[in-house]
Amino acid sequence: MLRELINANPIVHGKKERRRVQSTSTNFDEDIKDPEHPYSLEELNVVSEDLVEVDDKHNYVRVTFTPTVEHCSMATVIGLCLRVKLMRSLPSRYKIDIRLAPGSHSTEAAVNKQLNDKERVAAALENPNLAEMVDECLAPTFV
Amino acid sequence: MHAFCSTPYFEPFAIPLILDKLSSSLPLAKIDSLKYLKNCMPSFGGDRMLQHAQHIWTALKDVIFNLPPKLEALSLTPDSGRDMKSDENEIATEALTCLKEAVLVYTCPDGDVFLSLIINDTDIEESFTSITLQRNRFDSPDKVDSQLSVLGSILSVTATTSSFCCGRVFQKFFSRLMIILEVPAQNSKYGQDATTKVASRKLNYGALCLCVLLLTSGRDLIATSLESSVGMEMLQDSWWYLIQDFSVPLTSTFKSALEISNIVVSESANSNQEHVFCCVKGLQVLATYPGPYSPITKDVFEDIIAAFMSVITGSSSDSYLWKLSLKSLTMIGTSITRFNDLDRQIIYNKIVVKQLVFLLVQKDSTSSIAPTLEAASEIGICGLDYMLQVIPAIEDAIISSFMQACVDGNCKTIKVLVLLLDCYCSKVLSWSHNSGKLEAPGMSFAIGILGCMENIIDLKIEPRMQDLLNRMMMALQLVVRGCKEHDQHKVLHKAFNVLQASGCFPVGSLPLPSGIYELSQFTQDLSEFTCREEWLLYFTASIVMALHQQTPVPDGGKLLNLFLVFLLKGHLAAAHALASLINKWPTGFDILGLSKAYTLDGTIDLIVTLLSNILLDNPGRAVTMMNNEGRPTQFFSNLQIHAVIGLGWIGKALLLRGHDRLKDITMILMKCLLLCENEMPSLSSDGSDTCNGKDLQYLVARSAADAFRILLSDSEVCLTKNFHAIIKPLGKQRFFSSMLPILHTSVKDCNSSRTRTLLYQAFGHIVCEVPLIVLIAEAKKVIPLLLEALSALDGDIMNKDLLYCLLLVLSGFLMDEKGKEEIIDYVHVVINHLIKLISYPHMTLVRETTIQCLVAVTGLSYTRIYPMRTKVLRALSRALDDKKRFVRQEAVKCYHAWASMASRSLR
């Protein structure tokens, strides 16, 4: 299957040097692979440490991410990966909120709604192809 | 590579190719081409290579200048974690060896071409001037550092290649350096006031480094050619006379620079340290030129050593300088031993060793003894002659301060003594054993200590001296361990005599009273020993532990008796000594002077009956009797616990030598373990005491379960190969296979849950110490017991270590291919137990290992574990919120492994 890449030539940024010991959940997304490219989301500047909010006392986590191009159709998959990773890494007491950075995507509201609807997330994960894709993207994070 | 070098006719094709590859930017290509070049040059020969000289030098220069090599000789911290750049380092070292080869090839027929290329190179010249012009290194430290390392390594590699090259390098650079450092030649008229001049200025750092480097390469050149004994006549070349000319003023320059930097605190401590390092290194290098080829005279040598010694003995607070000086002194000592330089050895002995020995023995030293001790032991390690002087000094110091400590019980003396003993054990004794050059090291120490004990009448003992006692015992043990049989006999004889003289032997000989009541009476009577006697016993015990098998024991029966009594009073060392005696007891009749009455079997019989009497012979009677006399019940149960521990140790001794009486001992232990299941005979009329008695009985049973750990685990203190124990192979395996059916049936027949827990505990101790492969062979029987043990033991906090060990065994099963096949039938039970242990509150390691085991479970057959998936995930989501970070991390991995199981199966 030869499909045209959505963003054929992404800009690759360096990975940020991290401190060794971190609080509960800031290291969850550092190595998630991009669905299209062999780079991690952090290297593509899709997520960064500054855009992760953790409120341990109120059990709340919010991740804001920026797709590489405005019409990126992978935004939902990226969001799904982030959500699954968080679901598997955080205790169930947390409320997880995943959003697109304002103005970074053409169908921002729709994607946001889709990502934070737990019925639709569950339904998406029932799809074996999608589940496999997510697991593949998450594989490098569990070394 | 061999193909490339096979014939000189390849030269016109190979060399340009290699040089072209060298200019590539890939590190691997660079390394490869450097290796090829290195190998090709000698086989192509100097004449053919002549036309490439310019190109090769330019290429190598390029590599070295771009990737400055690390200068080991001058770096302050040799292993400063530069692993990141290991590639670059490899290239740099490869380039330098290649350079060396090139110099060697080109100068072989005294050709000058390549050498002149290097020496007259404009880049080299440029960096030389820039380094030496820089007054203060800290204007641009990185640049100076890299320039220095480039220039330094090129020059030192060139200079160490051959005497001829060395001469050229010295000719060109050394005198210039001397001028920059303002060091006048010896025969010039300014020689005298050199020191006064130096005092007022700071030396140029770059020039200093280069100077030290050149001196080092000169020394290395001499040392290597001395050892390979070629070209000796060439050694005292022009460059050598050059050094000799400058040696005296140079030495005084270094020395005075040291003194200045010692006094004047420079603007930056770091730069000061580097200056000091260079100066110390310079002095050290000058002093380590091999004897007859040394450019410095004996007076100067003496001067240098004295300067270092004044740092060592002085009260200077500069620990950096102190360490450097000690290191230099040890280097000098080692080099003297290496080149067998008698004249210098005399000087060294006089100034360094004698003085340190004097300081050690001197009693009224107000300052701390630790630095002197460290210096003395380090210097002793440099050579046999030094050590021969240091050992008696340390031993004397130990004995005299031991005397003092015994008399006044002073806290400070004890601290000193502990320091001395530590150093004695860790450095001196281990060196003597490893080198094997000394006859019976430490004999005088052992005899001396025992002599002390003989003379002391009253030992001022305090609880904190327990630490001291342990160290003394360890030292004695190590000393005796290293001795030959007859020396050991001598020491033991001495100890025995001292013991006898002190009237410590309460009993004639075996048999001891056999009834429990009489026995308890008997031990009770002996309860009041003085500290001195106790220490004496401990010393004797530690001597006995370290004996050879062949060493005759003077009066085995009495010793045995003595240790038995002390064992029952709860002295662990006595149990160790007893076990050691039994382990090494000769099998034949009295070959080695042991009393005839005691054969191995007879002795074991005696001990075993005695101990089993205490443990099993109608306990109620004795307790009642003792109660009648108003003694606490606890006394009796303590006696029993001590007996159990003793049995454990004796069992271990038998297990190691593969003796079949081990069976009897394990049977006694098992009976003892099962005793608490049966109703205790009622003790007295009031109920409270009965209850108490039951608890005590449980304690005894518990210690019987723990005795299995003593039986199987490896002890460091005694019964090891180091202490000459008889160890036959496969003892543990045999024991395991004999015990497994017994445990199996006992567990099946057992009604009380408490006893069953104890049985599992015993089982756990056994399983933990047996190799996994044996367990897997018996998997059918082991796994059910193992799983039950896991669930039975998680209630008690006392069992947490055992639980952890059992989990490790389980994980062994899960990782092993054959183990996996066996465990698959029980996988549901395994998972259920593991889920329970995920929230084990008492030990983080248990939780962590549990989760790791769960990850390992995912390697089992998918269809068998899938039904458990939801249950596991639910349990894991609690672990995601664990208190400990490591557990959470493991939980995340495990969660993912279980969660993604479905998609993995699709692939």
Side-chain angles (χ1 to χ4, degrees), chain B residues 611-649:
Chain B
L611 294 179
S612 75
N613 276 347
I614 295 175
L615 289 171
L616 305 172
D617 178 27
N618 189 12
R621 190 175 62 95
V623 176
T624 326
M625 264 196 276
M626 268 184 274
N627 274 349
N628 293 343
E629 286 183 22
R631 284 188 188 150
T633 331
Q634 202 156 15
F635 171 77
F636 183 67
S637 79
N638 273 346
L639 188 71
Q640 283 191 320
I641 290 175
H642 297 151
V644 166
I645 292 172
L647 265 184
W649 279 102

Side-chain angles (χ1 to χ4, degrees), chain B residues 29-188:
Chain B
K30 269 197 201 307
I31 293 178
D32 260 2
S33 48
L34 284 170
K35 278 184 183 150
Y36 274 77
L37 190 59
K38 185 179 73 189
N39 282 303
C40 284
M41 279 188 294
S43 42
F44 292 173
D47 295 335
R48 270 180 173 278
M49 296 298 291
L50 209 55
Q51 45 176 323
H52 299 291
Q54 177 72 45
H55 295 170
I56 291 179
W57 164 238
T58 332
L60 286 177
K61 191 176 74 179
D62 248 18
V63 175
I64 298 174
F65 267 74
N66 286 332
L67 298 169
K70 226 166 59 175
L71 265 186
E72 269 161 37
L74 283 180
S75 65
L76 287 173
T77 45
D79 305 319
S80 53
R82 291 200 192 165
D83 298 353
M84 308 269 290
K85 295 184 175 173
S86 61
D87 251 6
E88 294 183 7
N89 265 332
E90 201 183 336
I91 296 175
T93 40
E94 201 58 51
L96 285 180
T97 44
C98 194
L99 179 68
K100 186 166 182 158
E101 197 62 51
V103 174
L104 211 60
V105 167
Y106 280 113
T107 49
C108 211
D110 268 359
D112 209 4
V113 189
F114 198 71
L115 208 53
S116 326
L117 272 178
I118 299 178
I119 290 175
N120 299 329
D121 191 274
T122 46
D123 285 336
I124 296 266
E125 187 61 38
E126 220 169 77
S127 61
F128 182 80
T129 28
S130 90
I131 288 172
T132 47
L133 275 181
Q134 210 107 32
R135 290 301 298 177
N136 193 344
R137 168 172 176 272
F138 286 85
D139 296 343
S140 52
D142 283 345
K143 195 170 158 230
V144 175
D145 262 358
S146 68
Q147 270 183 341
L148 195 60
S149 64
V150 167
L151 187 62
S153 43
I154 291 179
L155 288 187
S156 57
V157 161
T158 318
T160 39
T161 313
S162 72
S163 183
F164 173 70
C165 305
C166 194
R168 288 291 306 271
V169 173
F170 268 73
Q171 209 177 5
K172 169 106 186 184
F173 296 104
F174 194 69
S175 349
R176 284 168 68 191
L177 284 173
M178 290 299 110
I179 294 166
I180 294 163
L181 290 173
E182 296 175 39
V183 178
Q186 198 163 17
N187 46 12
S188 76

Side-chain angles (χ1 to χ4, degrees), chain A residues 108-125:
Chain A
E108 190 186 322
V111 175
N112 277 344
K113 192 165 180 200
Q114 192 178 358
L115 284 178
N116 293 306
D117 183 336
K118 76 177 175 193
E119 300 280 325
R120 289 174 78 173
V121 169
L125 289 178

Side-chain angles (χ1 to χ4, degrees), chain B residues 763-776:
Chain B
F763 169 79
H765 286 311
I766 296 172
V767 165
C768 291
E769 297 291 339
V770 175
L772 187 67
I773 189 149
V774 183
L775 296 180
I776 289 175

Side-chain angles (χ1 to χ4, degrees), chain A residues 22 88 90-91 93 135 142, chain B residues 880-881 885 896 899-900 903:
Chain A
Q22 290 149 330
R88 287 181 187 173
L90 291 180
R93 62 189 165 92
D135 275 332
F142 298 97
Chain B
L880 284 174
D881 216 0
R885 183 177 176 79
H896 178 77
S900 64
S903 68

Side-chain angles (χ1 to χ4, degrees), chain A residues 20-24 27 85 87-94 128 131-132 135-136 138-139 142-143, chain B residues 869 877-878 880-882 885 888-889 891-897 899-904 906-907:
Chain A
R20 285 285 138 156
V21 179
Q22 290 149 330
S23 61
T24 331
N27 65 342
K85 172 73 188 177
M87 269 171 15
R88 287 181 187 173
S89 312
L90 291 180
S92 50
R93 62 189 165 92
Y94 283 99
E132 190 183 343
D135 275 332
E136 197 183 318
L138 294 186
F142 298 97
V143 182
Chain B
R869 181 165 169 263
S877 70
R878 281 198 302 280
L880 284 174
D881 216 0
D882 198 275
R885 183 177 176 79
R888 289 200 300 269
Q889 274 173 339
V892 167
K893 276 183 213 164
C894 187
Y895 198 98
H896 178 77
S900 64
M901 198 184 275
S903 68
R904 262 191 312 143
L906 289 177
R907 266 175 233 165

Side-chain angles (χ1 to χ4, degrees), chain A:
Chain A
M1 169 180 81
L2 265 175
R3 167 176 66 98
E4 204 170 310
L5 293 179
I6 294 167
N7 180 4
N9 193 14
I11 305 161
V12 181
H13 304 263
K15 267 207 234 180
K16 200 167 161 190
E17 199 70 34
R18 257 154 230 284
R19 37 182 214 284
R20 285 285 138 156
V21 179
Q22 290 149 330
S23 61
T24 331
S25 62
T26 38
N27 65 342
F28 58 83
D29 56 0
E30 56 189 27
D31 293 321
I32 300 181
K33 196 178 85 63
D34 185 85
E36 294 198 326
H37 300 288
Y39 301 110
S40 76
L41 289 185
E42 192 184 2
E43 280 171 322
L44 294 173
N45 243 11
V46 174
V47 283
S48 71
E49 209 171 318
D50 317 327
L51 293 177
V52 179
E53 276 173 61
V54 182
D55 188 343
D56 196 33
K57 219 178 276 168
H58 298 101
N59 297 332
Y60 183 76
V61 177
R62 178 207 294 246
V63 180
T64 314
F65 70 99
T66 325
T68 46
V69 285
E70 217 170 74
H71 50 276
C72 185
S73 67
M74 288 289 160
T76 42
V77 181
I78 295 174
L80 194 61
C81 286
L82 288 172
R83 174 166 288 277
V84 171
K85 172 73 188 177
L86 286 176
M87 269 171 15
R88 287 181 187 173
S89 312
L90 291 180
S92 50
R93 62 189 165 92
Y94 283 99
K95 159 107 177 71
I96 302 164
D97 204 359
I98 292 177
R99 347 194 120 256
L100 286 164
S104 64
H105 201 267
S106 43
T107 54
E108 190 186 322
V111 175
N112 277 344
K113 192 165 180 200
Q114 192 178 358
L115 284 178
N116 293 306
D117 183 336
K118 76 177 175 193
E119 300 280 325
R120 289 174 78 173
V121 169
L125 289 178
E126 296 281 309
N127 179 344
N129 289 327
L130 209 49
E132 190 183 343
M133 188 165 183
V134 168
D135 275 332
E136 197 183 318
C137 290
L138 294 186
T141 63
F142 298 97
V143 182

